[in-house]
């Protein structure tokens, strides 16, 4: 169990499971013992942070079953501030004026504070950089945030610096460019070849039944189903074979809607998950074994989904000027693509 740092000193609590707890999930049992102070989701977050130990060893699996006599230790940190604090985190700024700021977000940077990521986010960086000029419409934990990118997705993101700009940009994103000039394009490196040069995926998304933090294609009539459309165009193919299949493809995805994990779920739904996607492409990880030693090692080591928000275009909320921003591919994705281009495909297993 990791020691608490000086900024979040933890109170250590210990519990001993009796015979009535035998066979119960550790997260469920702890939630019952600690209610209403800590929720089950909060307990799961503490597990991910290494703050819960079972018989002296850190436990990270919420489904772990208890035995009679098990000793559970939990280090609960002091409450974090209700409002995010500014942090001096470097920003790659593509544009900034009195109304908005456009960022090239690196992979690994969370957009706003949430469970497990209360600090070190883009919002913390923006508060430090912009001071009091951020829009308050998004609430104290999401000031100025109009749209989001996943933690491990890189690329262009716009943030509003005042409420008027926030309303205008939010309306444009809500409309998804159907009647305006909003345009979003992503580079995605996927397994296989979609089989046609271009296509449209029209499939509603909802919560996954196996993992509430993930999304899945669901029946249109389901209560949580959300309309979702992705347009894709194949840009390059790698490891092409005589039967017109290939090992991987670089695909441009354009969003007509903006649902959580939309591109990742949609591409997996048609059988071409993103390379490196550990949530929606686990079943494809062994395909790296067919790429030879060098490229296979590079693919296995790639730490995130191969997805980059390359292009964002919208009307400026004040000047009505059409703004268009492109973020160059980050080094990790560029190097991965170069490795595929250098690979001749002759050693496909």
């Amino acid at each position: 169990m990791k020691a608490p740092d000086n900024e979040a000193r933890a109170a250590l609590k210990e519990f001993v499971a009796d015979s009535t707890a035998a066979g119960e999930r550790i997260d469920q049992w702890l939630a019952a013992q600690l209610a209403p102070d800590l929720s089950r989701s909060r307990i799961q977050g503490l597990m991910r942070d290494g703050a819960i130990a079972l018989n002296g060893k850190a436990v990270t699996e919420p489904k772990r079953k208890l035995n009679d006599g098990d000793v559970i230790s939990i280090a609960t940190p002091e409450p974090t501030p209700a409002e995010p604090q500014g942090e001096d985190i470097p920003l790659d700024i593509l544009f900034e004026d009195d109304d908005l700021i456009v960022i090239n977000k690196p992979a690994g940077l969370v957009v706003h504070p949430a469970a497990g990521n209360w600090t070190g986010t883009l919002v913390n960086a923006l508060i430090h950089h912009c001071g009091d000029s951020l829009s308050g419409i998004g609430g104290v934990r999401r000031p100025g945030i109009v749209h989001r990118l996943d933690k491990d997705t890189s690329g262009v993101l716009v943030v509003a610096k005042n409420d008027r700009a926030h309303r205008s940009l939010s309306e444009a994103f809500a409309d998804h460019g159907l009647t305006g000039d909003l345009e979003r394009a992503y580079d995605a490196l996927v397994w296989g070849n979609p089989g046609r040069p271009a296509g449209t995926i029209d499939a509603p998304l909802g919560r996954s039944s196996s993992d509430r933090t993930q999304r899945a294609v669901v029946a249109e009539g389901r209560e949580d189903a959300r309309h979702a459309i992705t347009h894709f165009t194949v840009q390059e193919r790698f490891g092409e074979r005589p039967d017109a299949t290939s090992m991987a493809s670089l695909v441009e995805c354009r969003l007509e809607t903006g649902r959580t994990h939309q591109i990742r779920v949609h591409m997996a739904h048609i059988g071409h998950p993103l390379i490196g996607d550990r949530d929606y492409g686990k079943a494809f990880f062994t395909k790296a074994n067919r790429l030879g030693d060098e490229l296979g090692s590079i693919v296995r080591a790639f730490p995130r989904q191969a997805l980059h928000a390359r292009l964002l275009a919208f009307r400026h909320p004040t000047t009505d000027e059409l703004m268009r921003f492109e973020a160059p591919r980050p080094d990790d994705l560029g190097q991965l693509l170069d490795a595929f281009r250098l690979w001749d495909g002759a050693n496909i297993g």
Side-chain angles (χ1 to χ4, degrees):
M1 196 164 65
K2 72 179 183 181
D5 57 33
N6 291 331
E7 295 181 356
R9 297 189 181 279
L12 189 66
K13 294 182 179 180
E14 248 185 28
F15 301 88
V16 178
D18 59 20
S19 58
T20 62
E24 278 200 56
R25 284 174 49 139
I26 186 172
D27 61 338
Q28 294 176 334
W29 189 79
L30 276 176
Q33 308 309 306
L34 294 164
D37 296 332
L38 292 181
S39 67
R40 183 173 161 191
S41 61
R42 176 61 173 138
I43 288 167
Q44 291 173 347
L46 288 171
M47 283 186 182
R48 289 191 295 270
D49 293 340
I52 296 178
L54 178 64
N55 299 323
K57 293 184 178 180
V59 57
T60 58
E61 178 50 64
K63 296 179 181 179
R64 178 73 177 269
K65 299 296 179 63
L66 291 172
N67 295 308
D68 185 8
D70 280 343
V71 178
I72 304 98
S73 304
I74 177 169
T76 55
E78 290 181 350
T80 55
E83 297 187 13
Q85 306 299 302
E87 297 177 46
D88 188 5
I89 300 170
L91 292 172
D92 182 359
I93 299 173
L94 302 178
F95 175 84
E96 183 178 10
D97 64 9
D98 291 340
D99 293 301
L100 54 88
I101 180 170
V102 181
I103 304 294
N104 179 16
K105 187 189 87 67
L109 181 64
V110 175
V111 170
H112 58 74
N117 293 286
W118 295 114
T119 61
T121 72
L122 176 61
V123 163
N124 297 109
L126 289 168
I127 291 172
H128 179 271
H129 176 80
C130 300
D132 296 329
S133 65
L134 285 179
S135 163
I137 290 178
V140 294
R141 290 179 181 168
R142 304 184 185 185
I145 299 302
V146 177
H147 66 122
R148 294 180 295 169
L149 296 175
D150 293 343
K151 173 184 176 181
D152 289 326
T153 297
S154 55
V156 190
L157 185 144
V158 62
V159 176
K161 294 177 69 175
N162 56 61
D163 289 352
R164 180 176 50 79
H166 198 293
R167 291 189 185 93
S168 176
L169 290 169
S170 294
E171 288 172 4
F173 275 86
D175 183 61
H176 307 302
L178 295 177
T179 59
D181 295 294
L182 183 72
E183 185 180 2
R184 288 175 287 176
Y186 292 70
D187 288 339
L189 182 61
V190 305
W191 285 112
N193 175 5
R196 45 186 168 149
T200 296
I201 307 167
D202 184 348
L205 301 182
R207 289 192 180 275
S208 168
S209 57
S210 60
D211 187 332
R212 303 294 288 176
T213 66
Q214 296 181 17
R215 298 298 185 270
V217 170
V218 299
E220 192 169 346
R222 211 171 85 168
E223 185 178 355
D224 66 333
R226 297 292 180 268
H227 182 54
I229 296 179
T230 302
H231 305 283
F232 68 85
T233 304
V234 178
Q235 304 291 315
E236 292 184 63
R237 297 180 177 88
F238 308 104
E240 290 189 88
R241 291 168 286 202
D243 62 358
T245 61
S246 57
M247 282 299 295
S249 302
L250 175 62
V251 176
E252 179 189 80
C253 293
R254 290 181 175 258
L255 296 180
E256 190 172 311
T257 56
R259 307 303 180 194
T260 301
H261 301 175
Q262 179 173 317
I263 292 173
R264 299 165 62 191
V265 178
H266 269 175
M267 295 310 297
H269 177 64
I270 64 169
H272 303 286
L274 274 63
I275 287 177
D277 195 331
R278 286 157 174 78
D279 291 324
Y280 303 105
K282 286 180 181 178
F284 283 69
F285 270 34
T286 57
K287 283 186 175 289
N289 299 332
R290 304 177 62 192
L291 301 175
D293 292 340
E294 185 174 353
L295 180 56
S297 296
I298 293 171
V299 169
R300 282 188 290 270
F302 197 72
R304 65 182 183 99
Q305 65 266 8
L307 185 62
H308 175 63
R310 176 176 52 82
L311 168 69
L312 177 63
F314 55 88
R315 288 281 174 186
H316 192 283
T318 297
T319 68
D320 201 39
E321 176 187 357
L322 181 60
M323 312 289 286
R324 189 181 181 89
F325 301 96
E326 291 200 46
R329 288 176 189 142
D331 289 343
D332 65 342
L333 183 55
Q335 290 165 6
L336 181 62
L337 285 168
D338 286 343
F340 268 99
R341 290 176 181 131
L342 290 171
W343 175 65
D344 61 11
N347 55 351
I348 296 178

